[in-house]
Amino acid sequence: DGATRWIRSHGTFVSGADGRPARILGIELDVTAERQEADVLRARAEALADEVEERRREQERILDLSQDLFAVADFEGWLKSVNPAWTRLLGWTEEELLGRPLHAIIHPDDLARAAVAIAGLRSSVALRGFQDRLIAKDGRAVWIDWAAVAEGDRFYAVGRDVTHEREREEILRQTQKMDALGQLTGGIAHDFNNLLQAVQGSLALIARRPEDVGRVRLLAEEGMQVARRGASLTGQLLAF
């Protein structure tokens, strides 16, 4: 019927009286079904490999485009892999980052805390919400919020730049401090104004009848009491 069949041959030759091969003795096996199954499996494997490769390329594209920092590092303190966001944010090339120890780009004031965090990772404690500063190539300090998890002798980390958020929080704190200081200043000014008015009132009454010694003495004493309250208020202000 014109169909093509796959045949597997097993055979050997049989010698004649003169020792030369006279005929072939063997068996022919039809392995068409096996070949077809193998072809199907091969096609599935190739399709799966293509799908895996496409997923890998997708992940690489995501890592390349991400603004977050992705990294693989070992517990000896060396970066093993970084995505392009590191270069865009910090200015260091991938070769520069992989060619120096991790502590070389961590802010000196944050090294001790970072060491504690990495020690926790080594003990299989997942890291979340840890913030420290990385030093950019131009000397800038960049605040990074980290999440990381360990696997074997390495840990995998993702970091987000929170420098602007930290700056806004600091501005808000300073604004709140200035607001509180303004309220305090306003209250002190009001208190001092009341004290000054009391002193001025006593002096004005003394000026009206300076010849009345008893009255002058009484008003002067009241003025001294007010002055003492003013001195106490000044002491509290200086202590603050």
Side-chain angles (χ1 to χ4, degrees):
D1 60 359
T4 299
R5 310 295 294 181
W6 280 96
I7 303 297
R8 181 181 297 124
S9 299
H10 297 275
T12 185
F13 68 89
V14 177
S15 300
D18 58 359
R20 299 177 58 188
R23 66 182 186 277
I24 296 175
L25 179 66
I27 184 172
E28 305 295 320
L29 301 176
D30 182 359
V31 294
T32 305
E34 294 179 21
R35 291 291 300 225
Q36 290 174 342
E37 289 180 8
D39 290 342
V40 171
L41 291 176
R42 187 179 302 106
R44 289 178 180 175
E46 291 175 353
L48 181 59
D50 291 342
E51 183 177 351
V52 170
E53 178 62 19
E54 178 59 26
R55 294 291 181 269
R56 186 189 65 79
R57 288 196 296 266
E58 288 177 355
Q59 291 178 356
E60 287 185 351
R61 287 194 290 270
I62 291 173
L63 292 177
D64 289 345
L65 294 174
S66 175
Q67 297 301 311
D68 291 338
L69 305 182
F70 289 86
V72 180
D74 62 24
F75 288 108
E76 301 301 320
W78 293 87
L79 289 167
K80 296 299 182 181
S81 176
V82 295
N83 68 325
W86 285 76
T87 300
R88 291 194 296 267
L89 180 62
L90 302 176
W92 302 104
T93 66
E94 180 178 355
E95 291 74 16
E96 289 173 327
L97 289 165
L98 301 184
R100 65 186 59 204
L102 185 57
H103 67 76
I105 61 172
I106 297 178
H107 194 284
D109 294 343
D110 298 335
L111 282 173
R113 294 191 305 109
V116 172
I118 294 175
L121 282 171
R122 189 191 288 269
S123 301
S124 300
V125 178
L127 183 69
R128 294 187 183 278
F130 174 77
Q131 294 187 1
D132 66 355
R133 287 163 290 182
L134 299 182
I135 303 301
K137 195 169 185 177
D138 59 8
R140 292 177 296 112
V142 182
W143 280 100
I144 305 295
D145 185 277
W146 293 103
V149 64
E151 183 174 333
D153 60 351
R154 298 184 176 189
F155 61 91
Y156 300 80
V158 56
R160 181 170 58 91
D161 179 9
V162 293
T163 305
H164 294 312
E165 296 176 15
R166 298 275 303 209
E167 290 174 349
R168 286 195 296 268
E169 291 174 358
E170 181 62 25
I171 292 173
L172 178 59
R173 282 195 295 269
Q174 293 298 329
T175 302
Q176 292 172 339
K177 288 180 181 179
M178 293 301 296
D179 182 60
L181 186 59
Q183 293 179 11
L184 175 64
T185 303
I188 293 174
H190 179 72
D191 291 344
F192 264 114
N193 186 56
N194 291 338
L195 295 174
L196 288 174
Q197 286 181 351
V199 172
Q200 289 173 345
S202 296
L203 293 175
L205 292 174
I206 291 174
R208 287 182 183 179
R209 296 169 60 183
E211 71 283 353
D212 189 342
V213 177
R215 187 167 181 270
V216 168
R217 184 179 295 109
L218 178 62
L219 293 171
E221 181 59 31
E222 290 179 355
M224 288 297 296
Q225 291 179 0
V226 173
R228 284 192 288 271
R229 290 200 298 270
S232 176
L233 182 60
T234 301
Q236 294 175 10
L237 178 62
L238 290 174
F240 174 79

